[in-house]
């Protein structure tokens, strides 16, 4: 469903991605790991259409040219990014925001918009399952949320929007073990044969809880090694240095 | 960026139609004769004519003020009409059925069906076209609780003692250039009186409309809440699109006696001029209220229209423990200019004031907050808090803040916070990644920015204000 070939990206004259290849089939969970500065966040930014990058190569999503689409078009077609740093939007109700987002996606899928009551019922069910305080909905989007609360909110949005391709950009960073478990459970619950996931992370500990189908090591803008989930364990023991050195030689 | 500019140019004013009404109009120009003519047309008592003439004579001694930040070519006060009124088909409409059908049709076009309003919303509406009040709904129901809500002219005729007692008691005719002009030539407006201890059973509302070309509109609103009375009042304003600038110089006086409460909300959407800054209303308005002991006056304004907005709704906190509030959203796009804010004058003991101002600029617009917090020696224990936030869309607009604070009593606590921000790229991208278009995302972020003020508006008008904000900023994303 996602086919990345020779992807390059540079920002303000600095090249970050240098010909990245990656294929994700429906239902697969892939993890991209790598040291700081490898281009992990750039990958998620480029896949979701963040402006400011010079992009080359091809990315097809369900057979369509992903790079030609606006960020919102990618979103309503089922690409969801769980942000590394979820953004605060003061004065905008979390419930209103989430319902607007959900109805944008439903509109694209040819479904009727959810009215406020139905939405509230569905949201509360999901929040109970994710162990999120219902008071969440009446607060402003991420405003004054703790780091853990913001990440839970991302998982709630992801659950409600039912994406076809979920990208998690270092969603596990800065989380205590309880919050990490919430994120992992959220991801595990969403695993399904028609949903793919791309988990971008620096640390292997999320991958202990969510066993990915494939693990890739990103270094200096390229994927230098791929394997199954045991690759993550190996990295935990040895660190990135030996893999990076091996690839360079 | 270029398609953004294009959209800006194409931004249209939805209320820019003109209705052909048979109009009774005075010759252009300002003179003692015109003042006398207006007074005679309205069959006014001698004392009111004298008051107007005193104002006119004082006006001759004044120069237009130049201290505000707004820029405009000189206004020729002799090149406009000071009186224009739709000619009634039958003398004096007593009920809605007698209102000129074309006037009714115009209000329907504005989305304000007077009849609908009366029937469905329970909001009492007074509608003012050019200079004359054409319909006041719900009179009967209000009368049951002793509330008077009528046109200013009717009030002069039917309740002269009340008008005489309070007219000019908060904004004297010598107050300032535009208030003085208004005092000389004001044509009509609304009058509300809420007797002691009465909570007005419904929202009161006035819609103002300038229809005739080259006409100034000078209405006067007077609201008196007796001891312990409570009222909520809303005004809305629109005007047709015209290439020339039209002057609007209104005066609003609020009198809140002991323990009374007046909430005054404005949704101002006068024609702002076109994308090149041609045409539009010059809105020079004086609004002020006076509080007795424990009284409260709250101004809420959403200013999206007018080529120039110059207004400072103020509260004189005369009574002990009285409360003044000012909540403002001022949006300027294209070449609009706004210089707006408030004055809170603390005189009584333990008086408090709250000021929340949200200024939004886009295009080539300039938006200034100008506010005065003055604590007199007598105002033991006064408290004041100002929060003044500016949001910029694009890089060719400006935001300015001019806070004036004068404190003569050292027990006072006066706080001022200010911020200026741009619509954040991260916020926009976050919204778009959740499927919102750039326009929807901007609108949502700006609405969030204004939330504290919108929360102060009566429910149905909060929805209207959000819609208006969206229209005003259409194409201003950048």
């Amino acid at each position: 469903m996602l086919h990345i070939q020779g992807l390059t990206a540079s920002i303000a004259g600095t090249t970050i991605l240098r010909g990245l290849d990656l294929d994700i089939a429906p239902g697969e969970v892939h993890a991209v790991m790598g040291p700081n500065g490898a281009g992990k966040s750039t990958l998620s930014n480029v896949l979701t259409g963040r402006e400011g990058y010079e992009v080359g190569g091809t990315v097809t999503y369900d057979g369509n040219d992903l790079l030609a689409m606006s960020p919102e078009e990618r979103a309503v077609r089922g690409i969801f990014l769980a942000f590394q740093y979820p953004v605060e939007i003061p004065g905008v109700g979390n419930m209103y925001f989430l319902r607007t987002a959900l109805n944008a996606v439903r509109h694209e899928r040819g479904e009727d918009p959810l009215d406020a009551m139905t939405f509230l019922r569905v949201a509360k069910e999901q929040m109970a399952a994710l162990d999120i305080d219902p008071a969440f909905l009446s607060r402003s989007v991420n405003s004054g949320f703790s780091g853990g609360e913001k990440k839970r909110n991302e998982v709630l949005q992801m659950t409600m929007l039912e994406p076809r391709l979920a990208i998690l950009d270092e969603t596990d960073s800065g989380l205590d073990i309880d919050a990490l478990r919430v994120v992992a459970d959220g991801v595990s619950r969403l695993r399904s044969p028609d949903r793919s996931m791309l988990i971008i992370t620096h640390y292997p500990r999320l991958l202990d809880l969510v066993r990915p189908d494939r693990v890739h090591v990103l270094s200096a803008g390229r994927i230098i090694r791929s394997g199954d989930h045991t690759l993550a364990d190996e990295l935990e023991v040895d660190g990135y240095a030996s893999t990076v050195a091996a690839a360079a030689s | 960026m270029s398609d953004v500019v294009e959209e800006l140019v194409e931004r249209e004013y939805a209320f820019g139609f003109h209705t052909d009404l048979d109009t009774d109009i005075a010759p252009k120009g300002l003179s003692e004769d015109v003042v006398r003519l207006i007074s005679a047309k309205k069959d006014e008592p001698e004392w009111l004519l004298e008051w107007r003439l005193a104002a006119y004579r004082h006006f001759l001694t004044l120069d237009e003020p130049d201290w505000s930040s707004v820029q405009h070519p000189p206004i020729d006060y002799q090149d406009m009409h000071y009186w224009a009124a739709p000619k009634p088909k039958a003398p004096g409409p007593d009920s809605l059925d007698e209102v000129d059908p074309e006037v009714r049709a115009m209000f329907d076009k504005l989305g304000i069906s007077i009849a609908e309003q009366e029937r469905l919303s329970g909001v009492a509406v007074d509608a003012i076209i050019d200079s004359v009040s054409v319909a006041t709904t719900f009179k009967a129901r209000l009368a049951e609780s002793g509330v008077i809500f009528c046109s200013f002219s009717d009030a002069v005729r039917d309740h002269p003692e009340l008008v005489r007692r309070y007219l000019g008691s908060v904004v004297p005719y010598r107050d300032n250039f535009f208030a003085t002009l208004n005092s000389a030539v004001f044509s009509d407006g609304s009058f509300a009186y809420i007797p002691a201890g009465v909570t007005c059973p419904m929202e009161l509302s006035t819609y103002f409309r300038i229809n005739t070309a080259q006409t100034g509109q000078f209405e006067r609103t007077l609201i008196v809440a007796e001891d312990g009375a409570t009222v909520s009042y809303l005004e809305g304003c629109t005007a047709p699109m015209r290439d020339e600038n039209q002057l609007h110089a209104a005066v609003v006086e609020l009198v809140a006696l002991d323990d009374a409460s007046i909430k005054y909300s404005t949704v101002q959407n006068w024609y702002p001029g076109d994308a090149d800054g041609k045409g539009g209303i010059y809105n020079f308005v004086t609004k002020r209220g006076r509080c007795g002991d424990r009284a409260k006056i709250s101004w809420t304004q959403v200013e999206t229209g007018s080529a120039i907005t110059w207004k400072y709704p103020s509260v004189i906190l005369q009574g002990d423990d009285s409360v003044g509030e000012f909540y403002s959203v001022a949006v300027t796009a294209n070449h609009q200019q706004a210089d707006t804010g408030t004055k809170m004058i603390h005189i009584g003991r333990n008086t408090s004031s709250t000021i929340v101002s949200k200024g939004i600029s886009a295009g080539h617009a300039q938006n200034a907050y100008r506010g005065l917090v003055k604590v007199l020696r007598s105002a033991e224990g006064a408290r004041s808090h100002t929060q003044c936030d500016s949001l910029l869309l694009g890089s060719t607009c400006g935001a300015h803040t001019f806070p004036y604070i004068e404190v003569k009593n050292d027990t006072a606590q006066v706080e001022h916070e200010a911020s200026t921000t741009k619509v954040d790229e991260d916020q926009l991208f976050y919204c778009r990644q959740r499927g919102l278009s750039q326009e929807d995302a901007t609108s949502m972020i700006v609405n969030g920015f204004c939330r504290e003020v919108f929360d102060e508006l009566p429910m149905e008008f909060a929805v209207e204000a959000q819609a208006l904000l969206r229209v005003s900023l259409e194409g201003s994303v950048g």
Side-chain angles (χ1 to χ4, degrees):
Chain A
M1 63 115 53
L2 186 74
H3 181 68
I4 303 174
Q5 199 164 29
L7 183 64
T8 61
S10 57
I11 189 163
T14 306
T15 303
I16 298 169
L17 298 183
R18 302 167 185 271
L20 184 144
D21 302 319
L22 184 64
D23 279 295
I24 302 180
E28 284 183 353
V29 174
H30 287 231
V32 169
M33 305 185 66
N36 288 328
K40 300 195 296 296
S41 285
T42 299
L43 176 61
S44 66
N45 284 341
V46 168
L47 291 180
T48 49
R50 178 114 206 187
E51 282 159 16
Y53 292 94
E54 291 275 341
V55 180
T58 57
V59 181
T60 53
Y61 170 67
D62 277 343
N64 297 305
D65 179 5
L66 185 73
L67 299 178
M69 297 180 202
S70 68
E72 53 270 36
E73 200 178 344
R74 302 179 201 205
V76 295
R77 288 183 183 216
I79 295 184
F80 179 93
L81 173 63
F83 282 67
Q84 182 176 6
Y85 303 109
V87 179
E88 301 190 4
I89 312 176
V92 175
N94 213 19
M95 176 161 72
Y96 176 69
F97 180 74
L98 183 48
R99 187 157 73 92
T100 305
L102 178 56
N103 284 336
V105 172
R106 290 177 66 91
H107 179 76
E108 174 69 22
R109 295 198 292 235
E111 298 166 359
D112 289 335
L114 280 193
D115 63 68
M117 293 312 291
T118 314
F119 169 81
L120 197 59
R121 188 173 47 74
V122 178
K124 284 198 166 153
E125 282 168 17
Q126 297 294 353
M127 289 168 78
L130 289 167
D131 194 21
I132 291 174
D133 181 355
F136 237 59
L137 285 179
S138 51
R139 293 162 69 177
S140 289
V141 178
N142 293 325
S143 226
F145 284 28
S146 71
E149 284 176 329
K150 286 181 181 173
K151 297 293 172 71
R152 279 174 205 233
N153 201 26
E154 295 293 287
V155 175
L156 172 65
Q157 292 180 14
M158 181 168 73
T159 307
M160 293 290 292
L161 296 177
E162 300 180 316
R164 302 204 49 241
L165 172 65
I167 303 169
L168 289 90
D169 185 6
E170 309 221 16
T171 304
D172 51 339
S173 65
L175 292 187
D176 61 35
I177 190 68
D178 291 336
L180 188 69
R181 208 168 281 282
V182 169
V183 171
D185 287 351
V187 170
S188 301
R189 285 176 62 228
L190 281 177
R191 265 181 123 144
S192 91
D194 52 6
R195 176 170 300 126
S196 309
M197 297 198 199
L198 178 59
I199 299 172
I200 294 172
T201 183
H202 183 75
Y203 305 103
R205 48 179 198 163
L206 177 63
L207 305 183
D208 285 344
L209 300 167
V210 183
R211 290 273 147 153
D213 300 303
R214 300 285 293 164
V215 174
H216 311 276
V217 178
L218 181 67
S219 174
R222 274 194 206 93
I223 286 179
I224 54 168
R225 208 178 145 193
S226 298
D228 61 13
H229 67 84
T230 55
L231 178 56
D233 301 336
E234 193 183 313
L235 288 167
E236 183 153 40
V237 177
D238 300 342
Y240 291 107
S242 58
T243 303
V244 171
S249 62
Chain B
M1 195 66 200
S2 67
D3 53 331
V4 169
V5 174
E6 225 161 80
E7 280 178 62
L8 260 176
V9 173
E10 283 166 8
R11 164 188 159 184
E12 280 184 33
Y13 181 69
F15 303 98
F17 58 87
H18 162 254
T19 307
D20 284 316
L21 297 169
D22 198 3
T23 305
D24 180 13
I25 192 161
K28 274 185 184 176
L30 180 60
S31 65
E32 193 164 313
D33 285 346
V34 166
V35 175
R36 286 180 186 278
L37 173 83
I38 293 168
S39 190
K41 283 271 183 199
K42 301 164 69 64
D43 216 4
E44 286 177 350
E46 191 61 26
W47 64 265
L48 189 48
L49 173 63
E50 287 307 322
W51 194 76
R52 286 178 179 275
L53 288 173
Y56 173 69
R57 284 168 200 139
H58 183 62
F59 180 74
L60 295 177
T61 69
L62 300 176
D63 292 319
E64 204 181 285
D66 60 1
W67 46 261
S68 85
S69 63
V70 301
Q71 308 277 331
H72 58 84
I75 300 169
D76 184 350
Y77 293 91
Q78 296 303 335
D79 190 36
M80 69 178 89
H81 299 283
Y82 287 86
W83 168 263
K87 274 186 195 159
K89 298 269 154 98
D94 286 328
S95 77
L96 278 171
D97 303 334
E98 289 173 40
V99 171
D100 187 335
E102 283 182 37
V103 173
R104 297 277 298 276
M106 178 162 92
F107 279 102
D108 287 346
K109 218 189 266 189
L110 287 169
I112 316 153
S113 155
I114 303 174
E116 280 291 297
Q117 289 257 3
E118 173 160 31
R119 212 158 35 84
L120 297 174
S121 65
V123 174
V125 178
D126 186 15
I128 297 185
I129 300 178
D130 288 339
S131 304
V132 170
S133 173
V134 290
T136 306
T137 66
F138 260 122
K139 228 178 230 178
R141 233 192 96 190
L142 290 167
E144 282 169 27
S145 49
V147 173
I148 302 166
F149 179 45
C150 61
S151 72
F152 205 92
S153 305
D154 286 356
V156 170
R157 192 186 63 217
D158 301 337
H159 311 282
E161 69 299 337
L162 284 174
V163 176
R164 194 169 183 178
R165 187 153 149 209
Y166 292 109
L167 176 69
S169 70
V170 188
V171 181
Y173 72 76
R174 290 171 170 274
D175 193 77
N176 71 74
F177 183 85
F178 295 105
T180 302
L181 177 62
N182 174 289
S183 301
V185 301
F186 75 91
S187 35
D188 212 329
S190 293
F191 175 79
Y193 171 83
I194 299 86
V198 170
T199 296
C200 188
M202 63 189 77
E203 301 271 345
L204 301 182
S205 176
T206 302
Y207 274 87
F208 294 102
R209 170 94 181 151
I210 300 176
N211 196 52
T212 308
Q214 294 175 298
T215 306
Q217 178 150 326
F218 307 94
E219 78 273 351
R220 223 177 152 98
T221 299
L222 174 59
I223 299 176
V224 179
E226 291 256 29
D227 290 356
T230 299
V231 64
S232 170
Y233 185 94
L234 183 119
E235 58 171 5
C237 329
T238 61
M241 293 195 276
R242 293 186 191 287
D243 284 347
E244 85 269 17
N245 297 106
Q246 285 179 284
L247 179 64
H248 174 253
V251 171
V252 176
E253 293 180 276
L254 308 183
V255 179
L257 299 178
D258 294 352
D259 301 293
S261 167
I262 301 176
K263 182 178 178 63
Y264 194 103
S265 312
T266 302
V267 176
Q268 184 265 110
N269 186 28
W270 297 117
Y271 177 51
D274 69 11
D276 302 320
K278 191 164 187 195
I281 303 293
Y282 288 172
N283 190 32
F284 295 91
V285 173
T286 305
K287 292 181 166 179
R288 192 176 306 148
R290 181 163 52 89
C291 281
D293 289 345
R294 298 168 302 278
K296 176 179 175 182
I297 288 178
S298 182
W299 298 100
T300 304
Q301 61 173 24
V302 177
E303 305 279 326
T304 61
S306 296
I308 297 176
T309 297
W310 180 101
K311 64 180 275 200
Y312 314 90
S314 305
V315 185
I316 300 171
L317 297 156
Q318 194 171 30
D320 293 347
D321 303 295
S322 57
V323 176
E325 294 175 342
F326 174 73
Y327 297 96
S328 170
V329 166
V331 182
T332 49
N334 295 325
H335 290 268
Q336 281 177 279
Q337 304 174 59
D339 192 301
T340 185
T342 183
K343 288 189 276 186
M344 294 289 175
I345 314 295
H346 293 255
I347 301 171
R349 281 174 298 166
N350 300 316
T351 45
S352 74
S353 60
T354 302
I355 299 167
V356 178
S357 165
K358 305 278 181 178
I360 299 151
S361 312
H364 299 277
Q366 297 295 327
N367 202 323
Y369 168 81
R370 187 182 303 277
L372 169 68
V373 175
K374 189 168 185 170
V375 178
L376 274 62
R377 205 179 302 280
S378 54
E380 196 75 11
R383 296 180 309 282
S384 179
H385 183 83
T386 300
Q387 185 197 327
C388 180
D389 300 321
S390 304
L391 186 67
L392 302 174
L393 285 83
S395 52
T396 52
C397 53
H400 317 272
T401 305
F402 305 101
Y404 304 85
I405 298 172
E406 294 173 26
V407 179
K408 299 252 165 58
N409 184 311
D410 57 17
T411 63
Q413 280 178 39
V414 178
E415 296 159 351
H416 179 92
E417 290 176 47
S419 74
T420 301
T421 47
K422 290 188 119 182
V423 167
D424 190 275
E425 283 299 319
D426 289 338
Q427 288 178 336
L428 274 178
F429 181 67
Y430 190 71
C431 292
R432 294 178 76 188
Q433 211 301 306
R434 295 301 181 254
L436 277 70
S437 70
Q438 176 119 332
E439 291 272 331
D440 288 346
T442 306
S443 167
M444 187 182 267
I445 293 163
V446 173
N447 269 305
F449 175 76
C450 301
R451 169 72 50 221
E452 284 164 277
V453 175
F454 288 164
D455 282 350
E456 294 296 322
L457 286 172
M459 181 68 140
E460 58 270 46
F461 301 114
V463 175
E464 187 181 325
Q466 289 187 29
L468 203 54
L469 194 70
R470 189 189 164 82
V471 172
S472 300
L473 292 174
E474 227 152 65
S476 301
V477 179

